[in-house]
Amino acid sequence: MLSSASSKRTSRTTVIRVRRGAARRERDQLVSEEPLQVRVSAGGESGTVAVTMRTPGHDFELAAGFLFSEGVVSSCLEIARISYCHRVPLEERHNVVTADLKVSTLPPLEGLERQGVVSSACGVCGRRSIRDLEVRGVAPVCSDAEVGEGVLLELPHSLRRAQGLFRRTGGLHAAGLFTLEGELIAVREDVGRHNALDKLLGWALLQGRMPLEDHLLVLSGRVSYELMMKAAVGRVPVVAAVSAPSSLAVALAHRFGITLAGFVRDDGFNLYAHPGRVRLWGSGSISEVEA
């Protein structure tokens, strides 16, 4: 039987653990997954921009990061406040977040609004193309940032050590922000890859750290187009992931000047775009590798 509370990030459950032919009943922890409705208000009007399944916690950062990456706001100065909605039943209060914007009229929401509950693993899959980002005014990342091979190889270990909820549940994705020297600045975890990154970008936005042109972004899983889109909006020059990128993620990295490293493991990594920001041991930086 499962027990949970809306404000908790984990839930207790009973499992039957089987090991080498023996079975025993034990208590275990699961990562919590609950819906979050993100709303915006301005000029006496309000509207829903997203309903997503997420791990409770850092909800205001998730809302801010989503609004930033989707182009609703471009600065924390455009947000008057973010709060939980008090006009809903008590048991739902922490699952509805409203961002009050400092504008006189509500911005257009038709292209953003997602009816129903969106899977935490799906995000806004397929809704945008690279051309749409260009129309929004997102320009290629122009940064002279460089990262050493040794720093890249250590990043997944540093991220994993910072994943407290993952150690307890084994069921979360993570996004971590690092300095170019590999120092961890912030990490956010969530049951959804997109939510984890939105929480991290929301933290950076609310802390006044945008743009992120002298930072590294590390992802705990595969790299989709949506994640690279968010990195481009945040002006991140280097993205490293422990798994594979998609074809559209690689295309976006090429177009927007982002160094993309995948399959970052103990013995190496793959560079998919703009390798010149990576310095190899004793060999200097990589320009382009001939086929």
Side-chain angles (χ1 to χ4, degrees):
M1 175 173 265
L2 192 72
S3 63
S4 65
S6 60
S7 60
K8 291 184 178 180
R9 302 174 70 188
T10 62
S11 301
R12 300 289 293 181
T13 189
T14 299
V15 300
I16 297 176
R17 199 178 304 276
V18 178
R19 297 292 185 272
R20 297 181 179 180
R24 63 179 180 181
R25 189 180 301 272
E26 294 183 0
R27 295 289 287 170
D28 198 5
Q29 293 190 75
L30 302 176
V31 58
S32 296
E33 183 177 25
E34 296 185 8
L36 179 70
Q37 181 182 26
V38 179
R39 298 178 57 82
V40 293
S41 68
E45 297 180 291
S46 63
T48 297
V49 296
V51 181
T52 186
M53 300 302 295
R54 100 296 189 194
T55 300
H58 305 294
D59 292 331
F60 296 170
E61 295 174 355
L62 172 55
F66 176 81
L67 296 175
F68 174 73
S69 64
E70 292 295 316
V72 178
V73 300
S74 59
S75 166
C76 62
L77 300 178
E78 299 174 24
I79 302 174
R81 69 168 184 165
I82 303 176
S83 60
Y84 290 111
C85 182
H86 294 282
R87 295 189 298 273
V88 298
L90 181 62
E91 63 271 15
E92 300 177 13
R93 186 163 297 173
H94 289 93
N95 288 340
V96 181
V97 166
T98 300
D100 298 320
L101 306 183
K102 296 180 181 179
V103 292
S104 58
T105 59
L106 197 68
L109 303 178
E110 291 79 10
L112 294 174
E113 190 169 0
R114 295 181 276 167
Q115 300 295 336
V117 177
V118 176
S119 164
S120 55
C122 184
V124 290
C125 296
R127 193 178 62 78
R128 277 232 177 88
S129 67
I130 291 176
R131 176 59 181 161
D132 292 325
L133 275 183
E134 295 172 336
V135 170
R136 281 177 52 187
V138 178
V141 177
C142 296
S143 171
D144 57 2
E146 287 190 339
V147 57
E149 178 181 356
V151 171
L152 268 180
L153 292 173
E154 181 59 28
L155 290 175
H157 300 290
S158 299
L159 182 66
R160 179 61 62 86
R161 286 193 293 268
Q163 289 183 250
L165 277 179
F166 181 86
R167 287 195 298 272
R168 293 158 58 190
T169 66
L172 291 110
H173 295 283
L177 190 66
F178 291 78
T179 67
L180 297 176
E181 292 74 34
E183 178 185 355
L184 177 65
I185 298 175
V187 63
R188 291 294 181 267
E189 296 179 277
D190 197 275
V191 70
R193 295 175 295 120
H194 306 81
N195 294 339
L197 182 50
D198 276 337
K199 287 179 178 181
L200 185 65
L201 292 178
W203 172 84
L205 180 73
L206 297 176
Q207 292 292 319
R209 287 177 172 264
M210 292 293 182
L212 301 173
E213 293 175 341
D214 57 350
H215 294 78
L216 309 173
L217 172 63
V218 184
L219 304 173
S220 64
R222 64 182 179 87
V223 188
S224 66
Y225 160 78
E226 291 82 13
L227 297 181
M228 288 302 299
M229 177 270 287
K230 295 175 187 295
V233 175
R235 319 301 298 154
V236 179
V238 180
V239 175
V242 301
S243 192
S246 70
S247 60
L248 196 54
V250 172
L252 191 148
H254 278 292
R255 175 63 186 85
F256 288 92
I258 300 174
T259 300
L260 175 56
F263 292 107
V264 183
R265 309 288 171 81
D266 290 334
D267 58 346
F269 45 83
N270 295 344
L271 294 173
Y272 294 89
H274 298 282
R277 293 193 180 99
V278 178
R279 299 188 311 273
L280 299 184
W281 282 316
S283 302
S285 63
I286 303 173
S287 53
E288 291 290 343
V289 178
E290 296 182 0

